[in-house]
Amino acid sequence: MTTVNVNGDSLPDTSNLSDRYSRQILFQGIGAEGQLKLAAAQVAIVGCGATGSALAGLLARAGVGKLRIIDRDYVEPSNLQRQSLFDETDAADSLPKAIAASRKIAAFNSEIEVEPKVDDLIPGNIETLLNGMDLVLDGTDNFETRYLINDYAVDRSLPWVYSATVGSYAVTLNVVPGQTACIVCIFPDSPRGIVDTCETSGILNSAVNLVASIAATEALKILVHGSQAPTLRRTLLSFDLWTNEHAEISAAKPRTGCRACGERDFIHLAGEGRPHITLCGRNSVQIHERQRPIDFTEMDRRLQPHGVVRHNDFVLKFWHDPYEMTLFPDGRAIIKGTTDTAVARSLYARYVGS
Ligand SMILES: [Zn+2]
């Protein structure tokens, strides 16, 4: 039987919608039809630290049908102040954030699908990781990855939402390729002051939640009403929760001559100019090594004489004073205790392989 509304329009079959979304369906901007669109939507969240956790939590509870959570890192005690999907057990187990997030979400919404990807988004895997997504949300902590997402999104006409927080300051922008400005229109080069300042400025969890709430709501608008949604914000919005200063600058139109969306010169997608990566808020270096599958049991045995070793299915940790090395099954490593790439490289070569 087809249900019709007062205007005689036929309404979608909503009989299978779970009662859990009843309050959201009552909200005029979503409705039953919107809820069905959310159930069919596929969203990638790149980076699952503070902002990524909050975004994933909100969209999972809102009933977005498929979330792909991409994160290269593991949970540590210093994350728990603001990274809402993790707990003390995750930190004690050094669980990869993507895995911990997917387990946490499964416990409160088993009706949606979460695909954890323990990986670093780079030019070589971006097609595999973002292909087929309807929307990409930024939960990263660095402009290198944001420029890469922007290049890919502009190239594929895929909407994405930029979000960043440092200290009590939060900033966000919706990028709709072909309509609005892109991130390169606004920041042709990495803005100082937003990059690598987590360590020096700290971060308030409330600023994280503010930016995630705004970005998640813009995401709902795009998923329910498309990127032409009339209430979609077309500005770069920033807010400092501590000083109460806020600003909005128009991003309604692309900047003439923009390298990315104007000239379509995708230097980040092409993989040019990628420096070594130093993780935000930590004294650590990441080593990319993708062609070296590691047998954790064998590696554990090999490293035993040189320090303290521990592993689970997802990570192997090796403490060799003053360094701490975390190895992932594909050979990628995060070496803590140095920002010197040469030192990190030599440790890796000595204990894992050159
Ligand atoms: Zn642009």
Side-chain angles (χ1 to χ4, degrees), residues 39 160 187 214 267 280 325 351:
W160 75 283
F187 303 115
I214 295 169
I267 58 172
C280 175
M325 179 159 67
Y351 294 111

Side-chain angles (χ1 to χ4, degrees), residues 167-198:
S168 56
Y169 176 79
V171 56
T172 178
L173 169 76
N174 302 322
V175 177
V176 181
Q179 283 188 42
T180 70
C182 80
I183 198 89
V184 177
C185 291
I186 297 191
F187 303 115
D189 299 299
S190 295
R192 306 303 311 171
I194 298 181
V195 277
D196 58 42
T197 48
C198 272

Side-chain angles (χ1 to χ4, degrees), residues 1 23 38 41 77 89 113 122 128 169 182 216 264 274 335 353:
M1 190 186 80
R23 303 305 185 275
L38 293 180
T89 309
E113 185 189 344
I122 55 169
T128 316
Y169 176 79
C182 80
R264 301 185 72 80
R274 282 184 73 81
I335 293 164

Side-chain angles (χ1 to χ4, degrees), residues 104-353:
K104 216 53 58 78
I105 291 169
F108 66 75
N109 193 350
S110 58
E111 294 179 1
I112 65 160
E113 185 189 344
V114 181
E115 254 190 334
K117 300 283 184 188
V118 184
D119 220 332
D120 190 19
L121 189 82
I122 55 169
N125 62 17
I126 191 165
E127 176 63 33
T128 316
L129 290 174
L130 299 187
N131 187 28
M133 295 289 112
D134 300 312
L135 176 68
V136 179
L137 300 181
D138 167 23
T140 70
D141 57 7
N142 66 89
F143 256 82
E144 198 60 33
T145 311
R146 290 182 181 122
Y147 284 138
L148 178 61
I149 295 170
N150 188 75
D151 272 7
Y152 182 84
V154 169
D155 189 37
R156 306 301 161 95
S157 292
L158 177 69
W160 75 283
V161 182
Y162 157 65
S163 303
T165 314
V166 65
S168 56
Y169 176 79
V171 56
T172 178
L173 169 76
N174 302 322
V175 177
V176 181
Q179 283 188 42
T180 70
C182 80
I183 198 89
V184 177
C185 291
I186 297 191
F187 303 115
D189 299 299
S190 295
R192 306 303 311 171
I194 298 181
V195 277
D196 58 42
T197 48
C198 272
E199 201 161 8
T200 49
S201 307
I203 187 164
L204 286 188
N205 56 18
S206 50
V208 170
N209 283 8
L210 174 79
V211 85
S213 289
I214 295 169
T217 311
E218 296 298 301
L220 293 182
K221 293 178 196 175
I222 293 172
L223 297 175
V224 171
H225 299 284
S227 49
Q228 302 281 355
T231 62
L232 194 68
R233 209 190 62 257
R234 289 174 169 79
T235 62
L236 178 83
L237 172 67
S238 63
F239 210 110
D240 189 317
L241 282 172
W242 205 257
T243 63
N244 299 310
E245 286 164 25
H246 55 277
E248 257 187 294
I249 64 167
S250 176
K253 290 271 170 288
R255 179 174 54 81
T256 310
C258 169
R259 182 184 69 234
C261 69
E263 295 170 8
R264 301 185 72 80
D265 180 10
F266 302 125
I267 58 172
H268 297 273
L269 202 51
E272 290 171 27
R274 282 184 73 81
H276 73 272
I277 298 171
T278 302
L279 296 185
C280 175
R282 279 202 259 144
N283 180 25
S284 54
V285 173
Q286 176 177 230
I287 296 196
H288 289 278
E289 198 67 60
R290 318 191 58 77
Q291 310 299 332
R292 190 189 292 277
I294 289 178
D295 178 336
F296 280 172
T297 311
E298 160 64 20
M299 184 60 71
D300 194 308
R301 196 181 50 74
R302 180 140 59 100
L303 292 175
Q304 285 293 348
H306 306 287
V308 178
V309 198
R310 221 180 61 189
H311 78 272
N312 56 31
D313 289 348
F314 310 104
V315 292
L316 179 146
K317 295 195 89 159
F318 171 52
W319 289 268
H320 179 81
D321 215 33
Y323 308 109
E324 177 189 310
M325 179 159 67
T326 304
L327 267 176
F328 295 86
D330 62 357
R332 190 166 59 87
I334 294 172
I335 293 164
K336 206 167 158 181
T338 184
T339 48
D340 185 334
T341 48
V343 168
R345 268 270 162 220
S346 98
L347 276 165
Y348 187 92
R350 190 177 332 149
Y351 294 111
V352 184

